[in-house]
């Protein structure tokens, strides 16, 4: 990817941050990520997915998320493989910190799902730490059922919403 | 002998009760004032007449609007039916003049409410009198006057209706109250949420936050002057305290690596009980708002959340999945293991102790459906009041006889809305809001 293309991608990210999704890019996220710029907007270049040290590569090739069974926070064998890759990547690319976002599907009460999301995020955090990632580079947050990825009310969507997503940001620690 | 009395619903209800209890019917029943027993098998709403309040000077539209709100409050309970003015035989032209009871008997009005409104500058005075038509007298304690500023005219109407409701049902009123809730907008996968407050009937909406951060589950303080809620404003879920008058707010607990949520005030307003999560495990904690002292009330590797005090402050009801699924437990206010009180099929969450102390409301999830229900504080007499794709988060009206909750529809276009239902399962209805709304919490009755 050319520098111009990279810039475009960065602009696209900034544009997204500016127009909506305040919770992901809002005032708080800047403070929490430790890399907040003016106005608390956390800006991180995604980089080129063909570059193995880029966030785009982490998200797409390593895999930024693991999925869970109903009501469970146990990491599946497939999930463990993804997280082993994440741990490897994080130990190689030490300039990044991560916030692990735990989510639940909409089946369940609000408070319970907030906790379930926290359990899922903590399970991922614990696994990454067990693989050697320094705890100081990892934080967790739960969104409960507040931020579904898929919006249908069927298992096909629920399965994708029961997730923990490792969100990288530039900065060695949080 | 009985036939003429049958006109009076009060007598029917009283008679039914007397028969149920195996008591003899006493002739004194003929003099019983109009009465509705909430929780009994009410067959049809009590007919009442509320002629438009008299303008005693400068009242303009206020007299008509106040009458309209009084009728709306009373009819909204499902226990009353207003007889329209077109059916009235008499006109009420003077607040202190005599009442032609025969004319109101003739249209079968059990209760007649007359009122008068006067306005001078920004001051408004509302007076009313409720008559027991069949006995031909003013109902005891139901002739009052309220005075205040004109911007409080709806509250005065609510107070009139509260007095009438209270006299006839024997229960506390609940119309002069506010509800704090979460106003929602945007698509399901990028929902925007902000705190809002409204009258119990959906009027007078005011917004308390912008929609830059997720906000969840606000709760009023016992005096109604403060709100606790969960906010993502710091980037992480934090219990947050807001002063309603100034809108000043602050996160209450900011230990890194933790999440705090599901806050609720103690009955004395001095402490907040909530969930604190660390490493995926949550327990229930108590925070003293004055000293900042924190105490841990549960210590379990399972999910403990949704705590709610008993009105006397001695106990806390909460949910836990320590048995493998969400169930409801009661523990002493100082903490402890807790005793499980829910026992039916399915999962039980979000328990809320009634301000009357007699019931616990909850959300039940079973066989792919959600319900709002009530049970006695020992778990007996469980009764499900609603059923839908997603009903959750009940809150009690100040009189402990009506619940409000969130209903969410399914699918990609799924939206939230606020509904109320009384504790017998009657009178299920949607509360009008400008847009999608969730997480209602009722204030105490306003002073």
């Amino acid at each position: 990817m050319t520098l111009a293309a990279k810039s475009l991608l960065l602009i696209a990210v900034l544009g997204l941050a500016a127009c909506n999704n305040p919770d992901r890019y809002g005032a708080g996220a800047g403070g929490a990520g430790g890399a907040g710029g003016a106005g608390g907007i956390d800006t991180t270049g995604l980089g080129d997915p063909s570059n193995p040290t880029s966030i785009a590569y982490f998200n797409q090739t390593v895999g930024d998320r693991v999925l869970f069974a109903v009501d469970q926070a146990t990491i599946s064998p497939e999930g463990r493989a993804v997280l082993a890759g994440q741990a490897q990547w994080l130990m190689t690319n030490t300039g990044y910190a991560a916030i692990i976002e735990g989510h639940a599907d909409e089946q369940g009460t609000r408070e319970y799902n907030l906790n379930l999301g926290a359990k899922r995020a903590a399970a991922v955090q614990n696994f990454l730490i067990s693989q050697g990632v320094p705890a100081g580079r990892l934080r967790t947050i739960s969104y409960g059922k507040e931020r579904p990825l898929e919006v249908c009310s069927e298992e096909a969507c629920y399965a994708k919403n029961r997730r923990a997503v490792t969100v990288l940001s530039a900065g060695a620690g949080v | 002998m009985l036939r003429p009395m049958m006109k009076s619903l009060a007598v029917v209800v009283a008679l039914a009760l007397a028969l149920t209890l195996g008591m003899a019917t006493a002739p004194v029943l003929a003099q019983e004032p109009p009465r509705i027993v909430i929780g009994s098998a009410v067959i049809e709403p009590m007919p009442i007449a509320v002629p438009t309040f008299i303008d005693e000077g400068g009242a303009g539209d206020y007299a008509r609007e106040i009458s309209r709100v009084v009728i709306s409050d009373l009819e909204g309970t499902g226990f009353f039916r207003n007889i329209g003015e077109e059916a009235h035989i008499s006109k009420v032209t003077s607040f202190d003049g005599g009442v032609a009871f025969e004319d109101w008997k003739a249209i079968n009005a059990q209760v007649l409410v007359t009122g008068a409104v006067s306005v001078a500058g920004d001051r408004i005075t509302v007076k009313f009198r409720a008559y027991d038509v069949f006995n031909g007298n003013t109902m005891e304690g139901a002739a009052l006057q309220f005075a205040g500023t004109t911007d409080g005219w709806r509250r005065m109407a609510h107070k009139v209706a509260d007095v009438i409701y209270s006299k006839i049902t024997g229960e506390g009123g609940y119309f002069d109250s506010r509800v704090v809730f979460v106003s929602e907008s945007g698509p399901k996968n990028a929902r925007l949420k902000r705190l809002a407050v409204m009258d119990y009937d959906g009027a007078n909406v005011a917004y308390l936050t912008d929609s830059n951060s997720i906000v969840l589950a606000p709760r009023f303080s016992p005096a109604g002057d403060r709100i606790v809620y969960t906010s993502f404003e710091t980037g992480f879920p934090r219990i947050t305290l807001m002063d309603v008058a100034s809108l000043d707010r602050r996160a209450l607990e900011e230990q890194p690596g933790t999440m705090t949520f599901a806050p609720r005030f103690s009955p004395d307003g001095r402490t907040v009980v909530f969930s604190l999560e660390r490493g995926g495990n949550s327990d229930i904690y108590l925070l003293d708002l004055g000293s900042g002292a924190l105490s841990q009330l549960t210590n379990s590797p399972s999910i403990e959340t949704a705590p709610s005090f008993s009105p006397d402050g001695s106990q806390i009801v909460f949910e836990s999945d320590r048995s493998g699924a969400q169930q409801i437990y009661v523990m002493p206010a100082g903490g402890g293991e807790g005793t499980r009180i829910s026992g039916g099929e399915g999962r039980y969450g979000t328990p809320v102790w009634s301000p009357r102390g007699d019931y616990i409301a909850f959300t039940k999830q079973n066989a792919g459906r959600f319900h709002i229900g009530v049970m006695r504080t020992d778990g007996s007499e469980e009764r499900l009041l609603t059923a839908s794709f997603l009903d959750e988060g009940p809150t009690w009206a100040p009189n402990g006889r009506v619940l409000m909750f969130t209903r969410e529809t399914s699918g990609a276009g799924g939206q939230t809305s606020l509904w109320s239902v009384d504790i017998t399962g009657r009178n299920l209805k949607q509360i009008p809001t400008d847009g999608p709304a969730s997480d209602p919490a009722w204030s105490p009755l306003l002073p």
Side-chain angles (χ1 to χ4, degrees):
Chain A
M1 195 185 278
T2 64
L3 186 58
K6 284 184 190 177
S7 303
L8 270 178
L9 187 54
L10 184 60
I11 288 164
V13 170
L14 280 169
L16 183 67
C19 69
N20 63 15
N21 205 347
D23 307 300
R24 180 75 167 273
Y25 299 102
I41 293 172
D42 214 346
T43 306
T44 303
L46 292 178
D48 186 328
S50 68
N51 173 358
T53 66
S54 71
I55 290 179
Y57 180 89
F58 178 89
N59 290 350
Q60 291 163 32
T61 306
V62 177
D64 66 348
R65 66 198 55 201
V66 293
L67 304 179
F68 294 85
V70 176
D71 256 345
Q72 297 301 312
T74 308
I75 295 164
S76 66
E78 299 85 350
R80 280 201 289 277
V82 169
L83 295 181
Q86 287 188 6
Q88 192 62 46
W89 191 94
L90 283 164
M91 286 186 289
T92 308
N93 298 281
T94 54
Y96 291 95
I99 294 179
I100 303 150
E101 300 179 350
H103 298 267
D105 67 34
E106 69 188 358
Q107 311 171 89
T109 50
R110 204 176 304 291
E111 296 85 349
Y112 179 84
N113 277 335
L114 258 187
N115 208 286
L116 186 56
K119 279 174 79 170
R120 288 170 175 161
V124 167
Q125 182 183 39
N126 290 339
F127 188 92
L128 294 175
I129 291 170
S130 77
Q131 298 288 298
V133 179
R137 291 170 61 196
L138 303 173
R139 285 197 76 166
T140 60
I141 182 172
S142 175
Y143 286 96
K145 62 175 174 177
E146 303 304 316
R147 284 291 176 265
L149 199 61
E150 302 289 335
V151 293
C152 77
S153 294
E154 290 152 30
E155 175 55 24
C157 289
Y158 294 162
K160 291 178 184 167
N161 291 335
R162 294 189 298 264
R163 67 201 193 275
V165 184
T166 304
V167 180
L168 298 179
S169 60
V174 288
Chain B
M1 174 65 193
L2 273 177
R3 185 164 290 275
M5 288 186 210
M6 293 298 275
K7 278 184 175 173
S8 161
L9 178 63
V11 172
V12 174
V13 172
L15 182 61
L17 274 178
L19 290 176
T20 308
L21 299 172
M23 287 158 46
T25 52
V28 71
L29 281 177
Q31 275 78 49
E32 286 289 306
R35 177 98 171 125
I36 291 170
V37 179
I38 296 177
S40 68
V42 176
I43 296 131
E44 57 180 307
M46 177 185 284
I48 59 171
V50 188
T52 301
F53 285 13
I54 298 157
D55 178 354
E56 287 194 338
D61 287 344
Y62 286 115
R64 191 171 58 252
E65 289 299 298
I66 287 170
S67 310
R68 187 183 57 75
V69 171
V70 170
I71 292 166
S72 169
D73 283 347
L74 293 173
E75 287 198 319
T77 64
F79 293 121
F80 300 92
R81 178 176 60 81
N82 181 52
I83 301 167
E85 288 195 309
E86 68 282 358
H88 295 183
I89 298 165
S90 283
K91 291 269 177 263
V92 176
T93 51
S94 157
F95 181 70
D96 292 315
V99 171
F101 289 109
E102 288 306 318
D103 289 350
W104 302 103
K105 273 186 204 170
I107 60 170
N108 197 32
Q110 310 266 309
V111 176
L112 167 69
V113 180
T114 64
V117 182
S118 59
V119 173
D122 70 345
R123 299 291 295 176
I124 185 167
T125 302
V126 179
K127 50 190 180 182
F128 79 99
R129 195 172 274 135
Y131 296 97
D132 171 350
V133 170
F134 282 79
N135 284 310
N137 56 29
T138 301
M139 294 175 65
E140 194 184 335
L144 293 173
Q145 174 173 308
F146 302 114
T149 52
T150 50
D151 58 3
W153 70 270
R154 288 188 100 264
R155 286 199 52 201
M156 292 185 196
H158 290 321
K159 281 192 178 300
V160 171
D162 272 329
V163 171
I164 296 164
Y165 170 90
S166 193
K167 292 298 168 195
I168 294 173
T169 64
E171 309 283 349
Y174 64 94
F175 308 125
D176 187 24
S177 61
R178 301 275 276 167
V179 171
V180 63
F181 65 102
V182 174
S183 170
E184 303 193 357
S185 59
K188 195 169 174 180
N189 56 359
R191 202 79 96 198
L192 298 177
K193 296 195 168 196
R194 60 195 302 204
L195 287 188
V197 63
M198 64 183 186
D199 291 357
Y200 95 101
D201 57 2
N204 281 338
V205 176
Y207 295 95
L208 307 179
T209 66
D210 61 25
S211 52
N212 285 332
S213 314
I214 297 175
V215 286
L216 305 174
R219 314 290 183 203
F220 272 112
S221 64
D225 58 339
R226 291 166 296 161
I227 291 166
V228 281
Y229 59 104
T230 303
S231 171
F232 283 57
E233 194 173 4
T234 66
F236 293 85
R238 292 278 179 256
I239 58 169
T240 303
L241 178 70
M242 173 183 280
D243 178 84
V244 177
S246 67
L247 301 186
D248 287 345
R249 60 188 192 271
R250 62 183 171 98
L252 289 175
E253 269 295 309
E254 297 200 79
Q255 297 178 46
T258 69
M259 161 173 82
T260 53
F261 62 109
R264 212 181 268 280
F265 282 95
S266 58
D268 67 7
R270 291 185 188 151
T271 59
V272 170
V273 65
F274 64 101
S275 276
L276 186 149
E277 174 270 340
R278 183 183 277 115
N281 177 47
S282 73
D283 276 301
I284 293 169
Y285 286 72
L286 191 68
L287 177 70
D288 185 311
L289 292 172
S291 69
L294 190 64
S295 48
Q296 185 172 353
L297 303 185
T298 65
N299 189 356
S300 164
S302 46
I303 294 177
E304 273 71 39
T305 189
S308 166
F309 271 96
S310 63
D312 68 0
S314 69
Q315 296 176 88
I316 292 169
V317 64
F318 63 100
E319 67 170 77
S320 168
D321 69 347
R322 62 184 65 164
S323 72
Q326 282 169 283
Q327 296 290 343
I328 297 174
Y329 296 76
V330 172
M331 67 178 170
E337 285 285 304
T339 305
R340 178 169 155 182
I341 62 164
S342 59
E345 272 182 41
R347 299 157 57 152
Y348 295 79
T350 72
V352 194
W353 215 301
S354 159
R356 288 268 294 267
D358 52 355
Y359 286 102
I360 287 167
F362 55 85
T363 305
K364 177 164 175 164
Q365 202 180 341
N366 191 32
R369 301 277 283 174
F370 279 76
H371 308 269
I372 300 299
V374 293
M375 58 173 65
R376 292 291 182 180
T377 59
D378 63 359
S380 64
E381 297 181 40
E382 175 180 328
R383 189 160 67 224
L384 299 183
L385 309 177
T386 74
S388 91
F389 168 73
L390 210 176
D391 286 348
E392 71 169 307
T395 180
W396 288 98
N399 72 349
R401 287 296 171 265
V402 180
L403 292 161
M404 199 179 291
F405 60 95
T406 306
R407 172 165 286 182
E408 186 161 4
T409 53
S410 71
Q415 297 284 17
T416 54
S417 52
L418 305 184
W419 291 69
S420 67
V421 66
D422 75 24
I423 60 165
T424 61
R426 293 176 74 254
N427 206 32
L428 174 70
K429 59 179 183 176
Q430 186 174 350
I431 309 300
T433 51
D434 284 344
S438 59
D439 292 3
W442 226 305
S443 79
L445 203 58
L446 299 177

